[in-house]
Amino acid sequence: MIVDLTDAQLRRALPTKWGSTEEGTVPAWVAETDYQVALPILDAVGAAVADGMLGYAPWHDTLQAAELDAAFVAFAQRHWGWTLPVGRSTVVGDVVAGLRLVLETLAEPGPVLVPTPHYPPFREVVEVTGHELVMVEADPDADDAALDLAALERAIVESGARTLILCHPHNPTGRVHRRHELEALRDLTRAHGVRVVVDEIHAPLVLPGSPAFVPYLSVDDSAVLVTSHSKTFSTAGLHAAQVITLDDGDLAAVRGVPHAQNGGASVLGMIAGTVAWNDCDDWLEALRERIAEQRDLLEKMLDERLPQARVRPVEATYLAWVDLRAYGVERPAEAARAHHVRVAEGSDYHPGLAGHVRVNLATDARRLGLVVEGLAAGVLR
Ligand SMILES: Cc1ncc(COP(=O)(O)O)c(C=O)c1O
């Protein structure tokens, strides 16, 4: 059910991941998959293009927005047993645009906490919205990638932060935060008047056998959720994401902004999202199984070629956070690039952290093997 695309197909399909990477180098950096988009999505988008559905995208109160909203509500019920009321979402162009809109409209003045390592645009979105950025750095030697609640509390008290951006499941560590961690985070942030803005774009990608995904809004109804089908279903270029809030005042504030503050969504993205949430469960299950195989293969190959590498258990996402400090190379991604492999430098996710890379697993076994060989050639001296 999961169809691997050829290099030539990918070079055309993915202009950033593949198109901006020199020929002969395997791209395993930006978070896009090397698989064909699920057929129900390709069919629906193709039919919409044929019908000329290329007009302005509505944010809400129209058929397409209501369908996207209802489709996500049904997906959340089926997959996570979460009963989210309908009508709580506002369409935005993408998750980063949604985070920006939320920081601009709902965040109180004051610093924004970003647990680190983190998806790099989190820093940018805090800075472009005029907030002070407070990075709370995780210990790279910790046994697991659990939320460091004590460090978060210290940072809240010292900085006076009013907002925290949570990534759940986590890019780049691949962790599914546990219910008890989320409840503790809710209690901590409530006690200090901090609002959580949660990015759950990776939520459908919790792998078989991992802890269950608990939607953060299901434990904290004052948080704001930003999510999209785009990561799981490879539809980022179609531009549709959802900001979801359970509070009426928040909903009105997010929906009430002028067009210049929320203009990037597309109707095709809304159609793709509706089909992704409604009609692709079998494909999604096959995708998760495929990624779990790739994860196991990466662990095996690293064991053989780079036995001192430490990989965080990839519970969700198709991204592996690999600690190569034992090999003493400060910038292993740069070193691997010279050996025809493009992975993401760990310091992009954790400024100042040496010796880490983030590897995109969502490819085939042959390319993953080349990635490990390129990493090994780069760091073994
Ligand atoms: C945690 C996280 N949030 C957001 C995004 C980007 O989402 P979008 O393209 O909808 O802005 C990514 C992409 O990798 C991501 O990993």
Side-chain angles (χ1 to χ4, degrees):
M1 200 168 216
I2 301 302
V3 178
D4 291 283
L5 298 180
T6 65
D7 290 13
Q9 288 171 323
L10 286 161
R11 209 157 271 289
R12 178 156 161 75
L14 303 178
T16 296
K17 184 183 184 189
W18 278 79
S20 76
T21 300
E22 57 282 7
E23 281 209 35
T25 288
V26 183
W29 59 296
V30 72
E32 296 187 294
T33 77
D34 290 349
Y35 311 129
Q36 185 187 56
V37 173
L39 291 180
I41 298 176
L42 290 178
D43 288 347
V45 172
V49 171
D51 289 345
M53 290 190 74
L54 302 174
Y56 286 120
W59 302 351
H60 54 87
D61 294 340
T62 62
L63 180 64
Q64 286 77 22
E67 282 178 351
L68 179 67
D69 176 75
F72 180 73
V73 166
F75 185 92
Q77 185 74 60
R78 283 197 313 281
H79 289 262
W80 310 313
W82 178 32
T83 307
L84 169 68
V86 291
R88 309 308 308 183
S89 64
T90 303
V91 181
V92 290
D94 54 43
V95 165
V96 175
L99 292 171
R100 179 175 181 171
L101 178 64
V102 170
L103 291 187
E104 286 174 348
T105 53
L106 301 181
E108 282 183 37
V112 176
L113 290 192
V114 178
T116 300
H118 56 254
Y119 174 60
F122 286 0
R123 303 198 280 281
E124 298 166 2
V125 85
V126 171
E127 281 160 2
V128 300
T129 54
H131 291 272
E132 183 193 335
L133 170 71
V134 179
M135 291 190 276
V136 184
E137 296 185 0
D139 173 3
D141 292 314
D143 287 339
D144 64 16
L147 288 170
D148 185 343
L149 293 164
L152 288 174
E153 181 156 36
R154 274 196 305 279
I156 292 171
V157 171
E158 279 165 22
S159 68
R162 285 284 158 269
T163 309
L164 181 148
I165 301 181
L166 176 69
C167 186
H168 172 49
H170 193 267
N171 168 14
T173 66
R175 181 173 174 84
V176 178
H177 299 303
R178 314 296 195 256
R179 176 181 286 281
H180 68 89
E181 282 173 83
L182 300 174
E183 288 172 351
L185 181 71
R186 172 202 60 206
D187 295 345
L188 171 71
T189 50
R190 282 199 180 158
H192 292 282
V194 171
R195 163 128 59 175
V196 175
V197 180
V198 62
D199 172 344
E200 295 184 353
I201 194 170
H202 293 280
L205 292 167
V206 174
L207 303 181
S210 294
F213 172 74
V214 177
Y216 186 70
L217 254 62
S218 72
V219 302
D220 180 357
D221 59 9
S222 61
V224 183
L225 166 64
V226 188
T227 196
S228 177
H229 49 93
S230 62
K231 193 70 21 201
T232 303
F233 298 96
S234 298
T235 48
L238 290 175
H239 285 284
Q242 292 163 264
V243 171
I244 298 180
T245 167
L246 298 174
D247 178 87
D248 288 342
D250 289 347
L251 187 64
V254 168
R255 288 186 174 179
V257 298
H259 178 73
Q261 232 176 331
N262 184 14
S266 88
V267 181
L268 295 180
M270 296 164 71
I271 289 169
T274 303
V275 173
W277 297 137
N278 275 340
D279 302 325
C280 294
D281 282 4
D282 292 347
W283 183 90
L284 174 58
E285 197 181 322
L287 177 70
R288 290 189 289 230
E289 279 165 16
R290 181 66 190 279
I291 294 166
E293 282 169 27
Q294 292 289 107
R295 171 199 57 193
D296 296 347
L297 183 62
L298 177 73
E299 284 177 9
K300 182 171 164 282
M301 291 190 298
L302 284 176
D303 240 20
E304 286 161 14
R305 294 292 284 127
L306 291 167
Q308 295 181 72
R310 228 169 128 231
V311 199
R312 292 281 175 204
V314 182
E315 296 170 341
T317 79
Y318 48 78
L319 307 165
W321 183 236
V322 185
D323 177 356
L324 294 163
R325 284 174 298 166
Y327 296 97
V329 174
E330 173 135 357
R331 296 178 62 77
E334 198 176 290
R337 187 91 181 245
H339 297 276
H340 312 297
V341 161
R342 188 172 185 188
V343 292
E345 201 74 76
S347 54
D348 294 348
Y349 303 83
H350 188 144
L353 181 69
H356 283 68
V357 292
R358 193 196 71 171
V359 175
N360 182 336
L361 302 164
T363 187
D364 63 18
R366 181 188 65 87
R367 292 191 197 105
L368 197 59
L370 293 173
V371 168
V372 172
E373 286 309 318
L375 274 175
V379 303
L380 292 174
R381 292 178 292 188

